[in-house]
Amino acid sequence: MNTLNTRQQAQLAFIASNAELEVGHPDDCPLPLATLATTDGSEDYVSRVLSGGLTAHVYRIEAQGRSWTLKRARERCLVQNTDGQTSFLNEVQRRADLRELKRDPILGERLIGIVDTCYGSFRQGVLLSPWIEGDPIATWNERQLTQLFEMLAALLLGGLFEWDLCPGNTLDDGHVRLFDFGYMYRFDPLRQFNSNGTEMPQFHAAERFETRQYFAHLLALEQREESLALAAFALEKRIALEAYGRLHMELETRGASSTVLDWLAGIIGEWKHAMRGDLEALYLKEAWRSHWLDLHDDLSGQTCTASTLARIGWLERTTRERHGDLQRLLPVEPQRQLVEELRRARQLAERWQIA
Ligand SMILES: Nc1ncnc2c1ncn2[C@@H]1O[C@H](COP(=O)(O)OP(=O)(O)OP(=O)(O)O)[C@@H](O)[C@H]1O
Ligand SMILES: [Mg+2]
């Protein structure tokens, strides 16, 4: 068993207590709270039951002439680790933080893509938001990437780090929307890199997006034609670079430590260098990191999909064909060891496929 961090300990203690956490007031709900809290999808005000969520049951409901999203906590989250088991509480906590942050005179307008919370109650297991009439984002275009990075930078400045930017957690209804905050944690953006302090400099907003989502998209593009994947990578890096450049300036103005500023400048410098020269090498490095991390994320939660297997396929191919190039770019294990690790990962990923 891993040792628990301070946040996890506090959240488990909160869950074990009888304390309630509410966002907003039950009177703001379009239906009585008791009705919402016992909804199971069979009711006539439920117009859609969404099966995707691992943390919650998600329903589209119709009330007072509008559509709403009702998220009801599962008895037990399907993600089999502490962060999974605390994710509903975490989301209610973050909804409270986001409600505040959206009122911030500077950051607020950059957070219009964050869904509003009409009402939330941890003990009742209820989160109610306006329904987003949007589509999943299959191919990210310039507008979508720009909106996403703008929003992520504002969240960072507001002290919130989002870990789970997976395809199921982004929608577009003319604006990119975020609505699932089960794995968004607080941190101090002036002193820390992410919610793990300064211990894990490899994790940052662009990395999270690339790891959880974008490289799965690039992998599909690679299979059509490698130049398409490289062009999409160049677009994303250009937009991320602009956002990180502005973020660096804003962090500096707000008095961030040199540890944070130097770390961010290091990332910016590496990207700039690659954009002028060998973008293909950066692609290989970030693709390896993304597929590797995302694979281990899925294994840790025992929540694997067809996409997990596709990523393993990419890692296997790259280990076979490009181990020498990899070694020049990042610390990797010897080829034979990697082959063996990936063989075991494939076995587990096949066993832990979720419907
Ligand atoms: N406000 C909303 N408007 C429209 N659709 C939504 C909204 N909130 C959630 N959904 C849909 O419901 C699905 C599941 O919601 P959400 O991601 O919040 O649940 P979850 O159980 O926390 O997910 P997971 O733990 O698997 O990431 C989303 O992928 C999205 O398609
Ligand atoms: Mg989700």
Side-chain angles (χ1 to χ4, degrees):
M1 170 102 193
N2 295 330
T3 50
L4 300 174
N5 65 37
T6 318
R7 170 189 54 77
Q8 291 169 326
Q9 285 172 15
Q11 288 181 328
L12 289 173
F14 189 93
I15 293 170
S17 78
N18 286 318
E20 166 67 310
L21 175 65
E22 268 187 306
V23 182
H25 194 276
D27 290 352
D28 301 333
C29 294
L31 289 171
L33 179 53
T35 306
L36 294 175
T38 52
T39 297
D40 67 10
S42 63
E43 298 81 1
D44 56 7
Y45 56 85
V46 176
S47 57
R48 233 179 110 189
V49 178
L50 290 107
S51 50
L54 299 173
T55 304
H57 300 284
V58 178
Y59 307 105
R60 175 173 175 163
I61 67 174
E62 313 300 329
Q64 291 187 354
R66 294 186 54 177
S67 299
W68 309 84
T69 308
L70 171 63
K71 225 176 149 170
R72 288 232 302 114
R74 285 181 185 274
E75 279 298 310
R76 200 169 166 77
C77 174
L78 301 183
V79 178
Q80 308 293 337
N81 53 32
T82 306
D83 288 339
Q85 301 310 318
T86 53
S87 59
F88 192 79
L89 169 61
N90 191 72
E91 173 147 25
V92 182
Q93 292 176 328
R94 295 299 78 75
R95 297 280 188 138
D97 294 343
L98 288 164
R99 225 181 204 230
E100 278 300 302
L101 203 56
K102 280 167 78 89
R103 295 201 187 104
D104 183 283
I106 295 162
L107 299 177
E109 66 180 29
R110 294 156 68 177
L111 295 170
I112 48 169
I114 300 285
V115 78
D116 285 325
T117 303
C118 169
Y119 176 73
S121 155
F122 173 62
R123 291 294 158 191
Q124 300 286 331
V126 164
L127 267 173
L128 192 74
S129 305
W131 176 258
I132 300 163
E133 199 64 67
D135 300 308
I137 306 167
T139 11
W140 286 79
N141 63 30
E142 177 153 6
R143 170 189 59 82
Q144 291 165 325
L145 289 165
T146 305
Q147 289 178 345
L148 176 75
F149 279 109
E150 165 95 354
M151 188 156 54
L152 292 177
L155 287 170
L156 294 173
L157 289 167
L160 295 172
F161 190 90
E162 172 56 54
W163 287 86
D164 192 13
L165 291 167
C166 70
N169 289 345
T170 46
L171 285 170
D172 184 8
D173 64 352
H175 197 288
V176 173
R177 305 275 170 192
L178 299 181
F179 49 83
D180 177 3
F181 312 107
Y183 302 90
M184 174 187 274
Y185 304 129
R186 281 183 170 181
F187 80 120
D188 175 0
L190 304 184
R191 307 268 171 276
Q192 301 177 323
F193 304 148
N194 53 51
S195 56
N196 293 326
T198 51
E199 270 158 53
M200 299 179 181
Q202 69 272 36
F203 295 114
H204 50 94
E207 174 281 322
R208 285 290 81 205
F209 170 63
E210 291 167 6
T211 295
R212 291 300 280 156
Q213 168 155 201
Y214 202 59
F215 265 100
H217 164 55
L218 296 184
L219 174 51
L221 285 183
E222 265 181 60
Q223 281 157 356
R224 275 169 51 201
E225 200 180 321
E226 267 180 33
S227 64
L228 290 177
L230 205 58
F233 180 65
L235 173 70
E236 184 254 351
K237 277 297 187 223
R238 175 171 63 73
I239 292 165
L241 195 53
E242 285 161 14
Y244 272 31
R246 281 194 302 273
L247 178 63
H248 188 278
M249 274 173 13
E250 291 185 276
L251 286 170
E252 194 165 26
T253 309
R254 290 168 183 241
S257 69
S258 57
T259 309
V260 165
L261 293 174
D262 293 351
W263 162 76
L264 195 58
I267 297 170
I268 292 171
E270 184 188 7
W271 291 352
K272 273 194 179 152
H273 182 74
M275 302 284 279
R276 283 194 300 261
D278 195 355
L279 193 62
E280 205 276 332
L282 185 64
Y283 184 101
L284 180 62
K285 186 179 168 191
E286 313 261 62
W288 178 271
R289 175 221 53 206
S290 295
H291 294 316
W292 188 261
L293 286 177
D294 201 54
L295 167 62
H296 288 85
D297 222 26
D298 288 353
L299 292 178
S300 139
Q302 302 185 10
T303 49
C304 299
T305 61
S307 163
T308 322
L309 296 174
R311 288 171 180 278
I312 294 175
W314 187 95
L315 290 164
E316 288 169 338
R317 258 193 326 281
T318 306
T319 301
R320 261 195 326 269
E321 295 166 11
R322 307 204 55 187
H323 191 262
D325 292 337
L326 279 177
Q327 272 181 319
R328 278 187 286 280
L329 292 168
L330 73 172
V332 281
E333 284 140 42
Q335 194 173 29
R336 279 196 19 225
Q337 203 172 319
L338 282 176
V339 169
E340 178 52 26
E341 261 182 63
L342 288 167
R343 195 185 59 76
R344 275 200 306 269
R346 183 176 277 285
Q347 276 178 351
L348 294 175
E350 277 162 4
R351 183 177 327 147
W352 291 330
Q353 289 288 308
I354 49 166

